[in-house]
Amino acid sequence: MNHLSPSASSISSHPLTPYGWDEGWEAEFAVHAEQGLLSGRVVRVDRGQCDVITPDGLLRADTAFVTPHDPLRVVCTGDWVAVEPAGDPRYVRTYLPRRSAFVRSTSSKRAEGQILAANVDYAVVAVSLAVELELGRVERFLALAWESGAQPVVVLTKADLVPDAATLAHLVQDVETVAPGVAVLTVSSAHGEGLDVLAAVLSGGTSVLLGQSGAGKSTLANALLGDDVMDVQAIRDVDGKGRHTTTTRNLLALPGGGVLIDTPGLRGVGLWDAESGVGQVFAEIEALAADCRFHDCAHIAEPGCAVLGAVESGELPERRLDSYRKLLRENQRIVAKSDARVRAEIRKDWKRKHAEGRAAMEAKRGGRR
């Protein structure tokens, strides 16, 4: 007996279901369906056009109608869109409200964000074991991942290059200490180890694959897809670096269920309004800060600082606190570039501290008289 509701039954047989189509998207799209538009998911974007997978198959569409001045509102890989059913060229008329969005700041001096992928359930941070671990970079990726609304997953690639089980266990533990609430998996794409566990995790939704050049992302994508879909370049053993093997963001259905978005290797990973993401990565510091004497404690030299106390006792590694401060400062600078209110608050705070410093100096001088 079929216990599925008519709606659920229609979703299960929908040609876009393998790409993440569900009852929620169908409800969001209803108004566009009444206008005769075609539903689809963006699998690739380049030069003002995009490839869209639709019930009628893959088609090419122009994004001219949805290219606003705000770079965060452009069509991107992972978007669900409404496309004209016919025409030459065809046009994307709009995209559905995003459930999540992975955004980083651009490398330009202007305060601009760059959206890398939309409607992502899992943000897979690939970290190569061929080179020394950079825990600060892992924390940076995780802050962006949490801020996006996706669930982060750290994948330590090239595990076959660490044959000693005890050493591998220590590396996993090091990453787990900087990734609270995040699964840390080890895989070897060359030997197939750990791929079944990762595939099972990713089968439940849309995943974006992130990491530096040389992290083994394209090799991992090919292993998950069961085919050489992504080009793979040789990586220099001396530093684990190589040329970008993926130059665009591509969305592909996984054979065991789920959808994968591969991204180019990211040399620069700037934060973009990611304060809550930073707080999630450094949850233990935020918990300690609740016990500081002053509610606006900067954890630098203030009396009664619970965070500094934890560093002195060895409970909190000093490297961890330094990384927390660094990411918060960077995020504040980025936000201040685009938010006049925040800029004003920073100036006010600076003037207050400057005045307090001058008053302290005057008091000190007065005591010498």
Side-chain angles (χ1 to χ4, degrees):
M1 181 182 292
N2 184 3
H3 296 285
L4 291 176
S5 67
S7 176
S9 179
S10 66
I11 293 297
S12 64
S13 60
H14 197 284
L16 292 179
T17 297
Y19 291 89
W21 187 258
D22 58 28
E23 291 184 30
W25 293 123
E26 186 165 85
E28 288 280 2
F29 192 78
V31 63
H32 305 298
E34 291 174 0
Q35 298 169 4
L37 296 174
L38 194 63
S39 60
R41 193 167 196 190
V42 177
V43 300
R44 176 188 172 103
V45 178
D46 60 277
R47 298 177 182 177
Q49 293 190 313
C50 61
D51 292 336
V52 183
I53 186 70
T54 73
D56 294 343
L58 189 67
L59 58 84
R60 190 76 164 165
D62 196 297
T63 63
F65 281 104
V66 277
T67 308
H69 296 298
D70 185 351
L72 299 183
R73 300 174 72 87
V74 299
V75 172
C76 76
T77 303
D79 271 328
W80 287 99
V81 295
V83 187
E84 293 176 344
D88 186 19
R90 294 194 188 195
Y91 288 95
V92 172
R93 285 295 174 176
T94 189
Y95 61 82
L96 302 186
R98 293 162 175 160
R99 294 178 181 175
S100 63
F102 192 92
V103 180
R104 67 164 178 173
S105 66
T106 62
S107 57
S108 67
K109 294 183 179 179
R110 294 180 297 173
E112 289 186 352
Q114 178 190 20
I115 184 165
L116 299 180
N119 303 312
V120 173
D121 300 296
Y122 301 102
V124 181
V125 180
V127 181
S128 173
L129 292 177
V131 293
E132 186 176 353
L133 283 175
E134 292 185 56
L135 296 178
R137 185 168 290 274
V138 174
E139 290 163 340
R140 178 180 292 272
F141 269 110
L142 289 174
L144 289 170
W146 280 121
E147 191 68 35
S148 75
Q151 169 66 45
V153 178
V154 177
V155 176
L156 303 180
T157 65
K158 308 180 184 181
D160 53 290
L161 299 181
V162 188
D164 181 65
T167 301
L168 183 60
H170 282 304
L171 291 171
V172 171
Q173 188 176 29
D174 286 344
V175 176
E176 287 177 337
T177 60
V178 304
V182 176
V184 180
L185 308 176
T186 59
V187 303
S188 168
S189 299
H191 297 170
E193 296 171 0
L195 290 174
D196 53 344
V197 176
L198 178 59
V201 171
L202 304 187
S203 65
T206 297
S207 307
V208 61
L209 191 52
L210 308 160
Q212 285 183 285
S213 297
K217 294 190 302 87
S218 294
T219 301
L220 179 60
N222 284 334
L224 290 168
L225 292 162
D227 199 1
D228 292 337
V229 177
M230 305 297 175
D231 291 333
V232 178
Q233 299 281 355
I235 304 300
R236 297 195 298 263
D237 291 333
V238 64
D239 56 10
K241 295 180 180 178
R243 289 181 293 171
H244 294 305
T245 56
T246 304
T247 55
T248 59
R249 285 166 281 282
N250 303 279
L251 183 147
L252 298 155
L254 294 169
V259 177
L260 182 69
I261 300 175
D262 192 16
T263 64
L266 302 174
R267 290 192 178 95
V269 192
L271 300 184
W272 178 259
D273 196 7
E275 183 176 352
S276 64
V278 173
Q280 190 103 16
V281 176
F282 298 92
E284 81 280 26
I285 296 180
E286 302 248 315
L288 287 166
D291 293 327
C292 290
R293 182 182 301 176
F294 304 108
H295 75 278
D296 59 347
C297 184
H299 321 307
I300 297 175
E302 297 86 346
C305 176
V307 174
L308 293 178
V311 172
E312 291 172 5
S313 69
E315 178 187 352
L316 177 69
E318 189 170 3
R319 184 212 67 80
R320 186 92 165 134
L321 177 57
D322 288 342
S323 183
Y324 175 69
R325 290 171 177 154
K326 178 182 178 181
L327 292 180
L328 279 183
R329 285 195 304 269
E330 177 186 326
N331 188 70
Q332 190 179 49
R333 285 196 302 270
I334 289 295
V335 173
K337 285 182 179 180
S338 58
D339 191 322
R341 179 184 56 81
V342 174
R343 286 199 299 272
E345 289 178 356
I346 291 173
R347 284 196 297 270
K348 182 179 178 181
D349 186 56
W350 180 86
K351 289 179 179 179
R352 177 182 62 80
K353 290 180 178 178
H354 184 63
E356 289 174 353
R358 288 184 62 181
M361 288 296 295
E362 291 296 330
K364 190 173 184 182
R365 288 171 183 167
R368 290 173 181 166
R369 294 173 185 170

